[in-house]
Amino acid sequence: MAAPQDVHVRICNQEIVKFDLEVKALIQDIRDCSGPLSALTELNTKVKEKFQQLRHRIQDLEQLAKEQDKESEKQLLLQEVENHKKQMLSNQTSWRKANLTCKIAIDNLEKAELLQGGDLLRQRKTTKESLAQTSSSITESLMGISRMMAQQVQQSEEAMQSLVTSSRTILDANEEFKSMSGTIQLGRKLITKYNRRELTDKLLIFLALALFLATVLYILKKRLFPFL
């Protein structure tokens, strides 16, 4: 079972990916926007809100990383935070470029409208409808990618959890091996000591037996051959 902290990390990552994709979709809408300026302003307001949400979630992930007990997991999450920050900066650069492109396009369209009149207005309406359909299709594709990335994040987390469990098992086995090694060394010392003791006992028995035989021979000699 995943720890509550791991669940928070996964949810935070999923929301970061979701907000990142939503920002990208809105930036694409700005690129495709052909006016008026009020529409561009509305899109920029939405982008600012999404960036604010994205920034808060990245800060939450950074705080979760600092609260990790293991240094390896802490560094891994901090690296993810740095990647998210770099991606956010890249999105901000794309946002500025998209705004510049859109404003130039709006200015050009307004100039063309002054020159060409009503025909251009009808053409512009048709173009806007086409762009709206294209933008909707792109948004759906990006949301599909978001779901796929969320699944990949979950799979990566499960794989990391499996690696952590395997590492713990290896460490436990290593500790048990060290304990068995100490027991084997102690047994070896006891066997060596026992062998030495056995050799000493044999030598003492041999000396006692020799002394006994010498005593018996001495007594027999005195009894049988007292004149010797």
Short mmCIF file of all heavy atoms in Angstrom, two decimals, residues 69-114:
data_model
loop_
_atom_site.label_atom_id
_atom_site.label_comp_id
_atom_site.label_asym_id
_atom_site.label_seq_id
_atom_site.Cartn_x
_atom_site.Cartn_y
_atom_site.Cartn_z
N ASP A 69 11.85 11.47 3.68
CA ASP A 69 12.80 10.93 4.65
C ASP A 69 14.10 10.49 4.00
O ASP A 69 15.19 10.68 4.55
CB ASP A 69 12.16 9.73 5.39
CG ASP A 69 10.95 10.18 6.21
OD1 ASP A 69 10.95 11.34 6.67
OD2 ASP A 69 10.03 9.37 6.37
N LYS A 70 14.00 9.88 2.82
CA LYS A 70 15.18 9.37 2.13
C LYS A 70 15.77 10.44 1.22
O LYS A 70 15.06 11.11 0.49
CB LYS A 70 14.83 8.13 1.31
CG LYS A 70 14.46 6.93 2.18
CD LYS A 70 14.28 5.70 1.34
CE LYS A 70 13.99 4.48 2.20
NZ LYS A 70 13.84 3.27 1.38
N GLU A 71 17.09 10.56 1.28
CA GLU A 71 17.76 11.58 0.48
C GLU A 71 17.61 11.31 -1.01
O GLU A 71 17.48 12.25 -1.80
CB GLU A 71 19.25 11.63 0.86
CG GLU A 71 20.04 12.74 0.21
CD GLU A 71 19.56 14.12 0.62
OE1 GLU A 71 18.94 14.24 1.70
OE2 GLU A 71 19.79 15.08 -0.13
N SER A 72 17.63 10.02 -1.40
CA SER A 72 17.52 9.68 -2.83
C SER A 72 16.17 10.11 -3.38
O SER A 72 16.08 10.69 -4.47
CB SER A 72 17.72 8.17 -3.02
OG SER A 72 16.75 7.45 -2.28
N GLU A 73 15.08 9.83 -2.64
CA GLU A 73 13.76 10.23 -3.09
C GLU A 73 13.62 11.75 -3.09
O GLU A 73 12.98 12.32 -3.98
CB GLU A 73 12.70 9.60 -2.19
CG GLU A 73 12.67 8.08 -2.27
CD GLU A 73 11.65 7.45 -1.35
OE1 GLU A 73 10.93 8.20 -0.66
OE2 GLU A 73 11.57 6.22 -1.30
N LYS A 74 14.24 12.40 -2.10
CA LYS A 74 14.20 13.86 -2.04
C LYS A 74 14.84 14.47 -3.27
O LYS A 74 14.28 15.36 -3.91
CB LYS A 74 14.91 14.32 -0.77
CG LYS A 74 15.01 15.84 -0.63
CD LYS A 74 15.74 16.22 0.64
CE LYS A 74 15.92 17.72 0.76
NZ LYS A 74 16.65 18.09 2.00
N GLN A 75 16.04 13.98 -3.62
CA GLN A 75 16.76 14.52 -4.78
C GLN A 75 16.00 14.24 -6.08
O GLN A 75 15.98 15.07 -6.99
CB GLN A 75 18.17 13.93 -4.85
CG GLN A 75 19.08 14.36 -3.71
CD GLN A 75 19.24 15.86 -3.63
OE1 GLN A 75 19.32 16.55 -4.66
NE2 GLN A 75 19.30 16.39 -2.42
N LEU A 76 15.37 13.07 -6.17
CA LEU A 76 14.61 12.72 -7.37
C LEU A 76 13.44 13.69 -7.57
O LEU A 76 13.19 14.18 -8.68
CB LEU A 76 14.10 11.28 -7.25
CG LEU A 76 13.33 10.73 -8.46
CD1 LEU A 76 14.25 10.67 -9.68
CD2 LEU A 76 12.77 9.36 -8.15
N LEU A 77 12.72 13.98 -6.49
CA LEU A 77 11.59 14.89 -6.59
C LEU A 77 12.04 16.32 -6.86
O LEU A 77 11.39 17.05 -7.61
CB LEU A 77 10.77 14.84 -5.29
CG LEU A 77 9.90 13.59 -5.11
CD1 LEU A 77 9.17 13.64 -3.78
CD2 LEU A 77 8.90 13.46 -6.25
N LEU A 78 13.16 16.72 -6.26
CA LEU A 78 13.68 18.07 -6.51
C LEU A 78 14.08 18.23 -7.97
O LEU A 78 13.91 19.30 -8.57
CB LEU A 78 14.88 18.37 -5.60
CG LEU A 78 14.54 18.62 -4.12
CD1 LEU A 78 15.80 18.79 -3.30
CD2 LEU A 78 13.65 19.85 -3.97
N GLN A 79 14.60 17.14 -8.56
CA GLN A 79 14.94 17.20 -10.00
C GLN A 79 13.68 17.35 -10.84
O GLN A 79 13.65 18.09 -11.82
CB GLN A 79 15.70 15.92 -10.39
CG GLN A 79 16.16 15.90 -11.84
CD GLN A 79 17.11 17.03 -12.16
OE1 GLN A 79 18.04 17.30 -11.41
NE2 GLN A 79 16.89 17.72 -13.26
N GLU A 80 12.59 16.66 -10.43
CA GLU A 80 11.33 16.81 -11.14
C GLU A 80 10.81 18.25 -11.02
O GLU A 80 10.27 18.81 -11.99
CB GLU A 80 10.29 15.85 -10.56
CG GLU A 80 10.55 14.40 -10.90
CD GLU A 80 9.45 13.48 -10.40
OE1 GLU A 80 8.39 14.00 -10.02
OE2 GLU A 80 9.65 12.27 -10.37
N VAL A 81 10.98 18.84 -9.82
CA VAL A 81 10.56 20.23 -9.63
C VAL A 81 11.30 21.16 -10.57
O VAL A 81 10.71 22.04 -11.21
CB VAL A 81 10.80 20.66 -8.16
CG1 VAL A 81 10.60 22.17 -8.00
CG2 VAL A 81 9.85 19.92 -7.24
N GLU A 82 12.63 20.95 -10.69
CA GLU A 82 13.43 21.79 -11.59
C GLU A 82 12.96 21.63 -13.05
O GLU A 82 12.89 22.61 -13.80
CB GLU A 82 14.91 21.43 -11.47
CG GLU A 82 15.56 21.90 -10.17
CD GLU A 82 15.46 23.41 -9.99
OE1 GLU A 82 15.71 24.15 -10.96
OE2 GLU A 82 15.12 23.85 -8.89
N ASN A 83 12.64 20.40 -13.43
CA ASN A 83 12.16 20.16 -14.81
C ASN A 83 10.83 20.88 -15.05
O ASN A 83 10.61 21.47 -16.12
CB ASN A 83 12.00 18.66 -15.04
CG ASN A 83 13.33 17.94 -15.08
OD1 ASN A 83 14.38 18.55 -15.34
ND2 ASN A 83 13.32 16.65 -14.81
N HIS A 84 9.94 20.83 -14.05
CA HIS A 84 8.65 21.52 -14.19
C HIS A 84 8.85 23.03 -14.28
O HIS A 84 8.15 23.71 -15.05
CB HIS A 84 7.74 21.18 -13.00
CG HIS A 84 7.24 19.77 -13.00
ND1 HIS A 84 6.76 19.13 -14.13
CD2 HIS A 84 7.15 18.85 -11.99
CE1 HIS A 84 6.38 17.91 -13.83
NE2 HIS A 84 6.61 17.72 -12.53
N LYS A 85 9.79 23.57 -13.49
CA LYS A 85 10.05 25.01 -13.54
C LYS A 85 10.59 25.42 -14.91
O LYS A 85 10.19 26.44 -15.47
CB LYS A 85 11.05 25.40 -12.45
CG LYS A 85 10.47 25.38 -11.03
CD LYS A 85 11.51 25.80 -10.01
CE LYS A 85 10.92 25.83 -8.60
NZ LYS A 85 11.91 26.23 -7.59
N LYS A 86 11.51 24.61 -15.45
CA LYS A 86 12.04 24.91 -16.78
C LYS A 86 10.94 24.86 -17.84
O LYS A 86 10.89 25.68 -18.75
CB LYS A 86 13.16 23.91 -17.13
CG LYS A 86 14.42 24.09 -16.31
CD LYS A 86 15.46 23.04 -16.67
CE LYS A 86 16.72 23.19 -15.82
NZ LYS A 86 17.72 22.15 -16.13
N GLN A 87 10.04 23.86 -17.70
CA GLN A 87 8.93 23.75 -18.66
C GLN A 87 8.01 24.95 -18.55
O GLN A 87 7.50 25.46 -19.56
CB GLN A 87 8.15 22.46 -18.39
CG GLN A 87 7.06 22.17 -19.40
CD GLN A 87 7.60 22.03 -20.81
OE1 GLN A 87 8.56 21.33 -21.05
NE2 GLN A 87 6.98 22.72 -21.75
N MET A 88 7.78 25.43 -17.31
CA MET A 88 6.92 26.59 -17.12
C MET A 88 7.55 27.84 -17.74
O MET A 88 6.85 28.64 -18.38
CB MET A 88 6.67 26.83 -15.62
CG MET A 88 5.65 27.93 -15.34
SD MET A 88 5.21 28.06 -13.59
CE MET A 88 6.77 28.60 -12.90
N LEU A 89 8.87 27.99 -17.59
CA LEU A 89 9.55 29.13 -18.22
C LEU A 89 9.46 29.05 -19.74
O LEU A 89 9.27 30.07 -20.42
CB LEU A 89 11.02 29.16 -17.77
CG LEU A 89 11.28 29.55 -16.31
CD1 LEU A 89 12.75 29.41 -15.97
CD2 LEU A 89 10.82 30.98 -16.04
N SER A 90 9.58 27.84 -20.27
CA SER A 90 9.45 27.65 -21.72
C SER A 90 8.04 28.03 -22.18
O SER A 90 7.87 28.66 -23.23
CB SER A 90 9.76 26.20 -22.07
OG SER A 90 9.55 25.96 -23.45
N ASN A 91 7.03 27.65 -21.39
CA ASN A 91 5.64 28.02 -21.73
C ASN A 91 5.45 29.53 -21.70
O ASN A 91 4.72 30.09 -22.53
CB ASN A 91 4.68 27.35 -20.76
CG ASN A 91 4.55 25.86 -21.01
OD1 ASN A 91 4.85 25.38 -22.10
ND2 ASN A 91 4.11 25.11 -20.01
N GLN A 92 6.08 30.19 -20.73
CA GLN A 92 5.95 31.64 -20.64
C GLN A 92 6.57 32.32 -21.87
O GLN A 92 6.02 33.30 -22.40
CB GLN A 92 6.62 32.15 -19.36
CG GLN A 92 5.84 31.79 -18.10
CD GLN A 92 6.58 32.16 -16.83
OE1 GLN A 92 7.79 32.35 -16.84
NE2 GLN A 92 5.85 32.26 -15.73
N THR A 93 7.71 31.78 -22.33
CA THR A 93 8.33 32.32 -23.55
C THR A 93 7.42 32.11 -24.75
O THR A 93 7.22 33.01 -25.58
CB THR A 93 9.69 31.64 -23.79
OG1 THR A 93 10.54 31.86 -22.65
CG2 THR A 93 10.36 32.20 -25.03
N SER A 94 6.84 30.91 -24.86
CA SER A 94 5.91 30.63 -25.96
C SER A 94 4.69 31.53 -25.89
O SER A 94 4.15 31.96 -26.92
CB SER A 94 5.49 29.16 -25.91
OG SER A 94 6.60 28.30 -26.05
N TRP A 95 4.24 31.81 -24.67
CA TRP A 95 3.07 32.69 -24.47
C TRP A 95 3.34 34.09 -25.02
O TRP A 95 2.51 34.66 -25.72
CB TRP A 95 2.74 32.71 -22.98
CG TRP A 95 1.56 33.55 -22.60
CD1 TRP A 95 0.46 33.82 -23.36
CD2 TRP A 95 1.38 34.24 -21.36
NE1 TRP A 95 -0.42 34.61 -22.67
CE2 TRP A 95 0.12 34.89 -21.43
CE3 TRP A 95 2.12 34.35 -20.20
CZ2 TRP A 95 -0.39 35.66 -20.38
CZ3 TRP A 95 1.62 35.09 -19.14
CH2 TRP A 95 0.39 35.74 -19.25
N ARG A 96 4.53 34.63 -24.68
CA ARG A 96 4.87 35.97 -25.17
C ARG A 96 4.96 35.98 -26.70
O ARG A 96 4.47 36.91 -27.35
CB ARG A 96 6.21 36.42 -24.55
CG ARG A 96 6.10 36.77 -23.07
CD ARG A 96 7.35 37.48 -22.58
NE ARG A 96 8.50 36.58 -22.58
CZ ARG A 96 8.85 35.85 -21.53
NH1 ARG A 96 8.15 35.89 -20.41
NH2 ARG A 96 9.91 35.07 -21.59
N LYS A 97 5.58 34.96 -27.27
CA LYS A 97 5.70 34.90 -28.73
C LYS A 97 4.33 34.77 -29.39
O LYS A 97 4.06 35.39 -30.42
CB LYS A 97 6.59 33.72 -29.13
CG LYS A 97 8.06 33.90 -28.75
CD LYS A 97 8.88 32.70 -29.18
CE LYS A 97 10.36 32.87 -28.83
NZ LYS A 97 11.17 31.70 -29.23
N ALA A 98 3.46 33.96 -28.77
CA ALA A 98 2.10 33.78 -29.32
C ALA A 98 1.34 35.09 -29.29
O ALA A 98 0.60 35.43 -30.24
CB ALA A 98 1.36 32.69 -28.54
N ASN A 99 1.46 35.85 -28.20
CA ASN A 99 0.79 37.15 -28.11
C ASN A 99 1.28 38.11 -29.20
O ASN A 99 0.48 38.80 -29.84
CB ASN A 99 1.04 37.77 -26.73
CG ASN A 99 -0.06 37.44 -25.74
OD1 ASN A 99 -1.15 37.99 -25.79
ND2 ASN A 99 0.24 36.50 -24.86
N LEU A 100 2.61 38.10 -29.40
CA LEU A 100 3.17 38.98 -30.43
C LEU A 100 2.65 38.58 -31.81
O LEU A 100 2.23 39.43 -32.60
CB LEU A 100 4.70 38.90 -30.39
CG LEU A 100 5.45 39.77 -31.40
CD1 LEU A 100 5.11 41.25 -31.21
CD2 LEU A 100 6.96 39.54 -31.30
N THR A 101 2.65 37.28 -32.09
CA THR A 101 2.16 36.79 -33.38
C THR A 101 0.69 37.13 -33.58
O THR A 101 0.26 37.56 -34.66
CB THR A 101 2.36 35.26 -33.46
OG1 THR A 101 3.75 34.96 -33.31
CG2 THR A 101 1.87 34.73 -34.80
N CYS A 102 -0.10 36.94 -32.51
CA CYS A 102 -1.53 37.21 -32.60
C CYS A 102 -1.80 38.69 -32.83
O CYS A 102 -2.65 39.06 -33.65
CB CYS A 102 -2.22 36.73 -31.33
SG CYS A 102 -4.00 36.96 -31.35
N LYS A 103 -1.10 39.56 -32.11
CA LYS A 103 -1.32 41.00 -32.28
C LYS A 103 -0.95 41.47 -33.69
O LYS A 103 -1.64 42.30 -34.29
CB LYS A 103 -0.52 41.77 -31.23
CG LYS A 103 -1.09 41.63 -29.82
CD LYS A 103 -0.23 42.35 -28.81
CE LYS A 103 -0.82 42.18 -27.41
NZ LYS A 103 0.00 42.84 -26.38
N ILE A 104 0.14 40.92 -34.22
CA ILE A 104 0.52 41.26 -35.59
C ILE A 104 -0.56 40.79 -36.57
O ILE A 104 -0.93 41.52 -37.50
CB ILE A 104 1.88 40.62 -35.93
CG1 ILE A 104 3.00 41.29 -35.12
CG2 ILE A 104 2.18 40.75 -37.42
CD1 ILE A 104 4.35 40.61 -35.27
N ALA A 105 -1.07 39.57 -36.33
CA ALA A 105 -2.11 39.03 -37.22
C ALA A 105 -3.38 39.88 -37.15
O ALA A 105 -4.03 40.16 -38.18
CB ALA A 105 -2.41 37.58 -36.85
N ILE A 106 -3.75 40.30 -35.93
CA ILE A 106 -4.95 41.13 -35.77
C ILE A 106 -4.78 42.47 -36.47
O ILE A 106 -5.68 42.96 -37.17
CB ILE A 106 -5.27 41.32 -34.27
CG1 ILE A 106 -5.75 40.01 -33.65
CG2 ILE A 106 -6.34 42.40 -34.08
CD1 ILE A 106 -5.94 40.05 -32.15
N ASP A 107 -3.59 43.06 -36.30
CA ASP A 107 -3.33 44.34 -36.98
C ASP A 107 -3.41 44.19 -38.49
O ASP A 107 -3.99 45.03 -39.20
CB ASP A 107 -1.93 44.85 -36.58
CG ASP A 107 -1.89 45.32 -35.14
OD1 ASP A 107 -2.96 45.61 -34.57
OD2 ASP A 107 -0.78 45.41 -34.58
N ASN A 108 -2.83 43.11 -39.01
CA ASN A 108 -2.87 42.88 -40.45
C ASN A 108 -4.30 42.67 -40.95
O ASN A 108 -4.69 43.16 -42.03
CB ASN A 108 -2.01 41.67 -40.83
CG ASN A 108 -0.52 41.95 -40.64
OD1 ASN A 108 -0.09 43.12 -40.68
ND2 ASN A 108 0.27 40.91 -40.45
N LEU A 109 -5.08 41.91 -40.15
CA LEU A 109 -6.47 41.68 -40.55
C LEU A 109 -7.28 42.97 -40.54
O LEU A 109 -8.11 43.21 -41.43
CB LEU A 109 -7.11 40.65 -39.61
CG LEU A 109 -6.75 39.18 -39.87
CD1 LEU A 109 -7.30 38.30 -38.76
CD2 LEU A 109 -7.29 38.73 -41.22
N GLU A 110 -7.06 43.80 -39.52
CA GLU A 110 -7.79 45.06 -39.45
C GLU A 110 -7.43 45.98 -40.64
O GLU A 110 -8.31 46.64 -41.22
CB GLU A 110 -7.48 45.77 -38.13
CG GLU A 110 -8.13 45.09 -36.93
CD GLU A 110 -7.76 45.74 -35.62
OE1 GLU A 110 -6.86 46.62 -35.61
OE2 GLU A 110 -8.37 45.38 -34.59
N LYS A 111 -6.15 45.98 -41.02
CA LYS A 111 -5.74 46.77 -42.18
C LYS A 111 -6.38 46.22 -43.46
O LYS A 111 -6.85 46.97 -44.31
CB LYS A 111 -4.23 46.77 -42.31
CG LYS A 111 -3.52 47.54 -41.21
CD LYS A 111 -2.00 47.41 -41.35
CE LYS A 111 -1.29 48.13 -40.22
NZ LYS A 111 0.18 47.97 -40.29
N ALA A 112 -6.39 44.88 -43.55
CA ALA A 112 -6.98 44.26 -44.75
C ALA A 112 -8.47 44.53 -44.81
O ALA A 112 -9.05 44.73 -45.90
CB ALA A 112 -6.70 42.77 -44.74
N GLU A 113 -9.14 44.54 -43.63
CA GLU A 113 -10.58 44.81 -43.61
C GLU A 113 -10.90 46.23 -44.11
O GLU A 113 -11.89 46.45 -44.81
CB GLU A 113 -11.12 44.63 -42.19
CG GLU A 113 -11.26 43.18 -41.76
CD GLU A 113 -11.67 43.04 -40.31
OE1 GLU A 113 -11.89 44.08 -39.65
OE2 GLU A 113 -11.77 41.89 -39.85
N LEU A 114 -10.05 47.16 -43.72
CA LEU A 114 -10.26 48.53 -44.18
C LEU A 114 -10.13 48.63 -45.69
O LEU A 114 -10.81 49.46 -46.33
CB LEU A 114 -9.25 49.46 -43.50
CG LEU A 114 -9.44 49.65 -41.98
CD1 LEU A 114 -8.30 50.49 -41.41
CD2 LEU A 114 -10.78 50.32 -41.69
#
